[in-house]
């Protein structure tokens, strides 16, 4: 594999010869196997250990272990370090191995798929992994394409085939590919076996929409482009079979070239911990140096007097060397400031948090029987710190399902239902549907609720009939009748399919088409229209027209398109109807529906003949053909008569607008990165409430050169900054916010939309900073027509320059690269396969679950982890630094103040379970209030709960507690006596008093720090105290001393000292003095300087009896903008191909001439277009999401009062 990678770097061009494995093998091209896993059996141990020892703490404990193996300086047993270290490394390794096992299993499932390969004169089944460059393989309908293929021939006329590219670009619309004419006639196995053409093409690259090559065959050269290629990840649709020549295989395919590398992800807390461990180690060294210097001085001045009964060891030659040895001894003793149990506990907490996500019933999607899944356990707290979300569109935000909802015909709207009081009634699942049983050809899945429209049809209202006749005629849909009455429409876009399906249900059924005719079934009668011309759609015209001859001989033009364009071409007599229809369009757009206007025109025979001659001439010219055709189209599409308008709902996934609204309130910036075209992405932006009509401006960057893109970016920035300078100072004075007022105002009112080809220039080093500056000044950013690699580059740009936590969410293979690049990758198990899920860190079935993942589980995980770390460092500094104070009273001899068993058990028995319970179950507010008050999430974004300042405060508290723990018992020991008058001044009694006080103090402190008590918390806290005293008396009993004399030297100490009243008085005094300062500070802070958490907790407690109240996020009607339903027409229409008849079988063409017969196997439209026209920015409405007035006011007040960090 390594050798192959070296070869690809220098590959200048690729030469592939068909049916010649020996020839192709000499180039050592990659085979067709893929590998997304990180390890194998040989590399797992070294690579995993290398990754784990990147964690500074692991390296730190390894050094301590080595020191403890040296007898001269070791004051603690080596097993106290090696056992927990091996445990941590093993647990992490098992977890990583499990994750990688699933990747291996996924790779094997893909590599073991079967495909038919042409070999030794026949087709043989081969695993995908065994396919090689130069093989000819056969694909059948609905099969995935195994590798990047050059299409040779297919079952369709002219070598056409149809593919779905959802895995590549997220688009579910079918696309057409066409083989070279010289190979399209090869249909026999023998002909394909004899094919020995050689392809010379570009080397492997990640450009999905480009391919350059040449086919050399029979002494001729034939140019190749992307329209001749079938890329891995596509699905063959509506094509019985096709043959292709493998050009790129395996990891060299364009799909895999766009997949990012699997990286080792670490949280920001992990990175901070690495820094803090270095700080702690430096602090430990300083303490060791102080105590070592103290030992040297003590040995020089005082120690010599004790050498008679405390002689130096043989290796101790002088006081300086004694200090040197004691330095290392103290390093070992004081290492418990960062115990290895901390990392064991962190892994346990992360595992527990992951299970909470997996078990969350509110993230379970019943329809698909899919639960949320935490596919990694290392990133949970990072979910509480996300600042940027990068989302795919198709399948992530939308269902990519279009539904005909409403229409306006001759000034009358249809689609709403009213009660007897003429009040509009909300449509629900229980609302009665219109009965289409009169129509045997109706689509039973079609839902419509306004029966007045069907009544108008049955009353034979001529304009209503003409309306649906237009919908049945003016399109490029193809019909396939699999059985009598079972029609299947294959549409260029979901919009067209929805409109033709609506006409079908209302009695105007599109049955079949040929290059010269369209056959309808109108109210049960077969009617054939002669198709005279198709005036195709493109992004400049924004409309489509057909010209037909009716059975009565009339010539009619039917036109549909964007309302602004249609209105410009209406006859003056339609002015009143235009105003009425315009009001209806505003109403439809206000509900987030996508609109089209419909018009028609009767044509004079003589005029049409003249115009047709001009059209035929313009179609044959070589220069300026498109411009001349556009002029002719414009000429005939004048003086139209308005029929009405349609309103289609582009169905979002449930809860998408509300989710985006909540995430926005949490100050999370959402960027949409989609393969769809500009207008599609903008329409979804409006539907999701990411784009709104009240925004100051939506900047559209669509330059075709670097200079144009730079000018557009600079112009947008200058425009924003110029307006910010004249911002109303009164508004500023009224605003009480913790962030810059100008930036808040800017972010609230601007949006950026950028095309893929412009983004390519903007991502170059000289422009990326300009792009990022503009993007961060805008509230919404939408990148459209982007490649998978560009998605990853955008994510990397933000990661690199903003230093913010990023999350990428998608559902297709085209999203894998950005999912791997982001700090957190989320896969949606949708309709586009499982590639995104397999590459993700978390997965679930619906976008709406993202708000719960972040605002509830993410915030809780961050909150719990931060509190856990603060408490852990506090208790361990309090526990460990007692040794430091004791050093000044024991001749700096590195003697431990505690019993060695207490040192061993303190972190793994006495205090482990309470802190684990806090880290697993604690919550400041419940899940309902977490969702109700999204600003709570900002604490994690600004990293306020655990940072270097918080760490310093925790260690300072621990330092103070250690001081009190040592000096209060020390001071009391001089006056403390037993009941019989004897002194209690021995070291063992002193150790028991300090240890007991310490355990009580840290137990009480964790109880005070808890926000949420459960039975588990009570059990662990009070149970740990009981276990402490039980083990204390057991290990200091006569029996244990009798069995293990050298291991249990504290014989009878607990029994003797804890039976004395004075000892308990000292313990109580020490505990109270240690706890009260922190308690007082907490009381004053909550009452005098409450945070947003404190206020929401108070609100939650005061309303506990009333029950949780969900935040009311409701849609806000838009009143000004409307959107063309042509948003899914990504390129010019298919009219030319339809009228040429190339995409139709001979049988279907002939049969369609007879109204009474249905076509046997007609296939849908195809497109062989090269150009990519961009649409202009269309003003659009918003789909608002706002809180109820009470909730908004309350949240605003609490947010304003929240102190800044």
């Amino acid at each position: 594999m390594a050798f192959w990678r070296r070869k690809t770097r220098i590959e200048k061009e690729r030469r592939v010869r068909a049916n010649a494995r020996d020839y192709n093998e000499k180039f050592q091209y990659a085979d067709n196997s893929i590998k997304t896993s990180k390890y194998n059996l040989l590399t797992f141990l070294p690579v995993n250990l290398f990754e784990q020892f990147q964690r500074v703490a692991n390296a730190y404990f390894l050094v301590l272990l080595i020191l403890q193996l040296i007898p001269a300086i070791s004051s603690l047993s080596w097993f106290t370090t090696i056992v927990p270290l091996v445990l941590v490394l093993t647990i992490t390794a098992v977890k990583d191995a499990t994750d990688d096992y699933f990747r291996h299993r996924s790779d094997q499932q893909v590599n073991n798929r079967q495909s038919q390969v042409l070999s030794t004169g026949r087709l043989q089944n081969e695993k995908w992994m065994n396919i090689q460059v130069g093989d000819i393989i056969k694909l059948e309908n609905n099969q995935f394409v195994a590798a990047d293929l050059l299409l040779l021939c297919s079952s369709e006329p002219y070598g056409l085939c149809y593919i779905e590219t959802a895995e590549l670009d997220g688009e579910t619309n079918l696309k057409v590919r066409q083989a070279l004419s010289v190979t399209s006639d090869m249909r026999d196995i023998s002909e394909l076996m004899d094919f020995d053409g050689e392809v010379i093409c570009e080397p492997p690259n990640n450009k999905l929409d480009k391919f350059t090559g040449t086919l050399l065959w029979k002494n001729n050269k034939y140019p190749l482009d992307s329209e001749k290629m079938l890329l891995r990840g596509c699905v063959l649709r509506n094509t019985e079979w096709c043959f292709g020549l493998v050009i790129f295989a395996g990891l060299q395919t364009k799909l895999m070239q766009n997949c990012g590398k699997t990286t080792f992800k670490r949280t920001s807390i992990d990175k901070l911990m690495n820094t803090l461990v270095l700080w702690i180690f430096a602090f430990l060294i300083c303490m060791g140096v102080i105590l070592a210097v103290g030992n040297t001085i003590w040995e020089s001045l005082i120690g010599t007097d004790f050498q008679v009964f405390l002689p130096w060891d043989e290796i101790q030659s002088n006081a300086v060397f004694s200090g040197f040895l004691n330095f290392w001894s103290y390093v070992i003793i004081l290492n418990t400031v960062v115990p290895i149990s901390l990392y064991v506990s962190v892994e346990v907490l992360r595992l527990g948090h992951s299970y909470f996500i997996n078990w969350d019933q509110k993230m379970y999607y019943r329809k698909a029987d899919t639960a949320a899944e935490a596919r990694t356990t290392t990133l949970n707290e990072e979910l509480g710190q996300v600042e940027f979300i990068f989302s795919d569109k198709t399948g992530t935000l939308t269902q990519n399902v279009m539904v005909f909802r409403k229409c306006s015909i001759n000034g009358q709207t249809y689609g709403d239902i009213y009660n007897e009081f003429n009040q509009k009634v909300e449509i629900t699942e229980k609302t009665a549907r219109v009965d289409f049983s009169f129509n045997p050809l109706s689509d039973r899945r079609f839902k419509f609720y306004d029966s007045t429209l069907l009544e108008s049809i049955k009353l034979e209202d001529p304009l209503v009939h003409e309306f649906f006749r237009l919908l049945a005629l003016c399109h490029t849909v193809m019909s396939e009748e699999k059985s009598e009455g079972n029609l299947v429409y294959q549409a260029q876009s979901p919009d067209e399919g929805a409109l033709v399906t609506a006409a079908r249900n209302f009695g105007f059924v599109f049955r079949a088409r040929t290059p010269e005719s369209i056959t309808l079934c109108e109210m049960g009668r077969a009617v054939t229209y002669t198709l005279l011309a198709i005036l195709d759609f493109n992004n400049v015209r924004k409309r489509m027209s057909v010209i037909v001859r009716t059975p009565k001989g009339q010539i009619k033009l039917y036109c549909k398109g964007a309302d602004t364009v249609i209105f410009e071409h209406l006859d003056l007599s339609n002015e009143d109807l235009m105003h009425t229809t315009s009001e209806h369009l505003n109403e439809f757009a206000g509900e987030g529906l996508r609109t089209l206007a419909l018009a028609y025109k009767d044509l004079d025979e003589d005029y049409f003949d003249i115009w047709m001659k001009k059209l035929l001439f313009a179609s044959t010219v070589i220069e300026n053909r498109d411009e001349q055709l556009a002029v002719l189209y414009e000429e005939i599409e004048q003086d139209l008569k308005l029929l009405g308008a349609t309103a289609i709902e582009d169905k979002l996934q449930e809860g998408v607008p509300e989710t985006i609204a909540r995430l926005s309130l949490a100050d999370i910036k959402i960027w949409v990165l989609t393969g769809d075209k500009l207008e599609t992405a903008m329409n979804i932006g409006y539907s999701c409430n990411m784009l709104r009509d009240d925004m100051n401006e939506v900047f559209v960057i669509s330059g075709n050169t670097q200079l144009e893109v730079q000018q557009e970016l600079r112009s947008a920035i200058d425009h924003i900054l110029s307006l910010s300078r004249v911002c109303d100072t009164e508004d500023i004075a009224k605003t009480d916010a913790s962030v810059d007022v100008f930036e808040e105002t800017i972010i609230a009112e601007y949006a950026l939309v950028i095309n893929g080809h412009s983004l390519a220039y903007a991502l170059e080093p000289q422009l990326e900073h300009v792009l990022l500056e503009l993007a961060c000044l805008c509230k919404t950013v939408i990148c459209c027509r982007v490649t998978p690699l560009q998605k990853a580059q955008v994510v990397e740009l933000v990661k690199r320059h903003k230093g913010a936590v990023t999350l990428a969410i998608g559902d297709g293979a085209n999203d894998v690269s950005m999912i791997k690049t982001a700090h957190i990758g989320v896969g949606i198990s949708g309709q586009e396969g499982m590639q995104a899920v397999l590459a993700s860190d978390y997965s679930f079935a619906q976008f709406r679950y993202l708000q719960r993942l972040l605002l509830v589980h993410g915030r809780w995980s961050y909150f719990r982890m931060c509190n856990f770390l603060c408490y852990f460092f506090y208790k361990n500094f309090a526990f460990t630094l007692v040794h430091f104070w004791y050093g000044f009273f024991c001749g700096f001899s590195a003697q431990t103040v505690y019993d060695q068993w207490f040192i061993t058990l303190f972190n793994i028995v006495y205090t482990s379970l309470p802190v684990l319970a806090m880290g697993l179950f604690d919550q400041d507010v419940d899940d309902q209030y977490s969702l109700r008050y999204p600003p709570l999430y900002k604490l994690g974004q600004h990293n306020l709960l655990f940072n270097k300042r918080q760490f310093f405060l925790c260690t300072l508290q621990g330092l103070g507690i250690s001081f009190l723990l040592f000096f209060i018992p020390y001071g009391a020991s001089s006056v403390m006596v037993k009941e019989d008058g004897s002194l209690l001044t021995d070291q063992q009694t002193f150790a028991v008093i300090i240890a007991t006080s310490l355990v009580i103090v840290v137990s009480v402190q964790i109880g005070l720090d808890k926000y949420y008590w459960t039975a588990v918390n009570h059990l662990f806290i009070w149970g740990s105290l009981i276990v402490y005293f039980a083990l204390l008396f057991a290990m200091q009993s006569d029996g244990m001393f009798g069995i293990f004399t050298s291991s249990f030297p504290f014989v009878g100490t607990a029994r003797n000292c804890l039976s004395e009243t004075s000892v308990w008085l000292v313990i109580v005094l020490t505990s109270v003095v240690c706890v009260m300062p922190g308690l007082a500070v907490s009381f004053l802070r909550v009452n005098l300087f409450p945070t947003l958490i404190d206020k929401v907790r108070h609100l939650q407690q005061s309303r506990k009896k009333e029950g949780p109240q969900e935040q009311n996020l409701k849609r806000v009607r838009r009143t000004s903008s409307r959107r063309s339903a042509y948003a899914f027409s990504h390129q010019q229409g298919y009219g030319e191909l339809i009228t040429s008849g190339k995409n139709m079988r001979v049988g279907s063409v002939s049969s369609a001439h007879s109204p009474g017969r249905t076509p046997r196997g007609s296939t849908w439209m195809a497109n062989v277009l090269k150009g990519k026209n961009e649409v202009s920015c269309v003003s659009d409405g918003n789909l608002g999401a706002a809180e109820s007035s009470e909730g908004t006011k309350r949240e605003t007040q609490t947010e304003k009062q929240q102190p800044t960090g």
Side-chain angles (χ1 to χ4, degrees), residues 137-160:
I137 66 176
K138 180 183 180 181
L139 297 176
E140 295 180 344
N141 193 33
N142 296 325
Q143 280 190 345
F144 277 95
V145 179
D148 289 354
L149 309 177
L150 171 66
L151 180 61
L152 297 177
C153 59
S154 76
S155 58
E156 303 300 296
Y158 300 94
L160 294 172

Side-chain angles (χ1 to χ4, degrees), residues 69 192 290 470 804 821 940 1126 1186:
L69 295 175
L192 289 164
I290 292 172
L470 185 153
T821 303
Y1126 270 112

Side-chain angles (χ1 to χ4, degrees), residues 460-477:
E460 298 186 357
D461 184 325
L463 290 176
V464 176
H465 278 214
E466 196 74 349
F467 180 91
F468 284 107
R469 186 176 292 115
L470 185 153
L471 294 182
L473 290 171
C474 186
H475 56 78
T476 54
V477 175

Side-chain angles (χ1 to χ4, degrees), residues 304-586:
T304 53
D305 300 334
F306 294 87
Q307 288 189 19
V308 175
F309 61 93
L310 288 176
W312 281 345
D313 295 334
E314 294 181 4
I315 62 171
Q316 286 183 264
S317 56
N318 55 55
V320 174
F321 191 68
S322 173
F324 174 77
L325 294 178
N326 272 274
F327 166 79
W328 293 109
S329 297
Y330 272 114
V331 167
I332 295 173
I333 291 173
L334 298 174
N335 83 84
T336 50
V337 286
V338 186
I340 190 68
S341 61
L342 170 64
Y343 291 93
V344 177
S345 301
V346 166
E347 294 300 327
V348 172
L349 291 184
R350 286 173 172 167
L351 184 63
H353 296 164
S354 298
Y355 277 113
F356 291 154
I357 293 173
N358 296 344
W359 293 338
D360 191 344
Q361 289 295 313
K362 294 181 180 179
M363 295 173 68
Y364 171 71
Y365 190 53
R366 196 170 303 279
K367 290 182 180 178
D369 190 26
T370 303
E373 180 184 6
R375 298 173 54 81
T376 180
T377 60
T378 58
L379 303 174
N380 296 321
E381 64 269 19
E382 197 95 316
L383 290 170
Q385 299 179 275
V386 173
E387 292 186 54
F388 288 86
I389 292 177
F390 301 90
S391 174
D392 179 38
K393 183 195 73 66
T394 305
T396 303
L397 300 178
T398 68
Q399 302 178 34
N400 203 29
V401 175
M402 304 293 168
V403 180
F404 182 86
R405 286 296 185 208
K406 297 182 180 182
C407 63
S408 170
I409 305 175
N410 194 31
Q412 175 68 40
T413 61
Y414 301 92
D416 291 321
I417 57 175
Y418 299 84
N419 58 19
E420 61 271 20
F421 304 108
N422 201 32
Q423 296 175 329
K424 187 183 294 186
V425 178
E426 183 180 359
I427 296 174
T428 65
E429 290 294 328
K430 297 181 180 180
T431 305
R433 294 161 53 181
V434 173
D435 182 11
F436 293 107
S437 59
F438 77 96
N439 182 2
L441 295 176
S442 64
D443 186 341
R444 296 180 181 179
R445 296 169 297 178
F446 181 79
K447 297 179 182 179
F448 201 76
Y449 301 93
D450 185 2
S451 59
T452 59
L453 182 54
L454 185 58
E455 292 171 5
S456 298
I457 290 282
K458 293 182 178 179
L459 292 174
E460 298 186 357
D461 184 325
L463 290 176
V464 176
H465 278 214
E466 196 74 349
F467 180 91
F468 284 107
R469 186 176 292 115
L470 185 153
L471 294 182
L473 290 171
C474 186
H475 56 78
T476 54
V477 175
M478 295 299 296
S479 174
E480 183 177 355
E481 194 156 359
K482 296 188 175 181
S483 61
E484 183 63 32
N486 182 19
L487 292 172
V488 177
Y489 290 150
Q490 297 155 348
Q492 171 192 5
S493 69
D495 315 72
E496 284 207 321
L499 293 174
V500 176
T501 300
R504 168 185 176 180
N505 278 266
F506 283 102
F508 288 77
V509 184
F510 167 59
R511 292 293 292 268
R513 78 181 323 138
T514 72
E516 299 86 17
S517 68
I518 299 176
T519 300
L520 305 184
C521 180
E522 297 184 356
M523 304 303 292
R525 293 178 291 107
V527 182
T528 298
Y529 293 84
T530 304
L531 180 60
L532 302 176
I534 294 181
L535 283 58
D536 225 344
F537 167 88
N538 64 40
N539 291 326
V540 177
R541 286 167 38 77
K542 294 188 180 178
R543 64 190 183 276
M544 171 195 176
S545 299
V546 294
I547 302 175
V548 298
R549 189 188 299 275
T550 69
K552 296 180 180 179
Q554 295 176 304
I555 300 177
K556 288 200 171 189
L557 180 147
Y558 292 106
C559 182
K560 68 179 182 183
D563 55 277
T564 52
V565 176
I566 297 295
F567 287 174
E568 293 173 358
H569 294 77
L570 293 179
D571 187 81
L572 294 177
S573 62
N574 285 251
E575 186 171 353
D576 291 340
L577 178 58
M578 182 184 71
H579 289 310
T580 303
T581 305
S582 182
E583 292 177 1
H584 296 162
L585 286 165
N586 286 334

Side-chain angles (χ1 to χ4, degrees), residues 798-938:
V798 174
K799 280 180 61 178
R800 190 168 65 249
H801 295 294
K802 297 298 292 183
V805 177
T806 59
L807 180 147
I809 180 170
D811 71 328
N814 58 316
D815 305 313
V816 168
S817 188
M818 73 169 179
I819 284 174
K820 290 182 177 180
T821 303
H823 293 97
I824 303 167
V826 177
I828 291 185
S829 50
Q831 301 176 356
E832 297 184 14
M834 296 294 289
Q835 281 79 0
V837 170
L838 294 173
S840 67
D841 304 305
Y842 301 88
S843 67
F844 41 71
Q846 294 280 288
F847 180 84
R848 69 178 184 270
Y849 298 145
L850 183 62
Q851 62 176 317
R852 188 165 180 85
L853 182 71
L854 298 184
L855 302 185
V856 178
H857 291 287
R859 201 183 69 80
W860 279 352
S861 294
Y862 173 74
F863 168 80
R864 291 163 175 167
M865 185 63 71
C866 291
N867 283 1
F868 164 82
L869 291 173
C870 287
Y871 175 78
F872 212 100
F873 282 119
Y874 150 77
K875 77 178 181 67
N876 277 282
F877 269 77
F879 162 62
T880 303
L881 294 186
V882 171
H883 291 296
F884 179 77
W885 309 119
Y886 184 59
F888 290 90
F889 297 89
C890 68
F892 305 96
S893 60
Q895 181 184 1
T896 59
V897 68
Y898 308 112
D899 173 21
Q900 182 166 322
W901 283 104
F902 179 80
I903 295 175
T904 303
L905 298 177
F906 177 75
N907 277 305
I908 62 176
V909 175
Y910 300 149
T911 61
S912 61
L913 292 182
V915 72
L916 279 178
M918 181 178 74
L920 285 173
F921 304 114
D922 201 20
Q923 53 181 255
D924 48 359
V925 296
D926 62 24
D927 57 342
Q928 296 294 333
Y929 276 80
S930 294
L931 293 172
R932 183 175 173 81
Y933 292 94
L936 291 170
Y937 188 82
K938 296 178 183 178

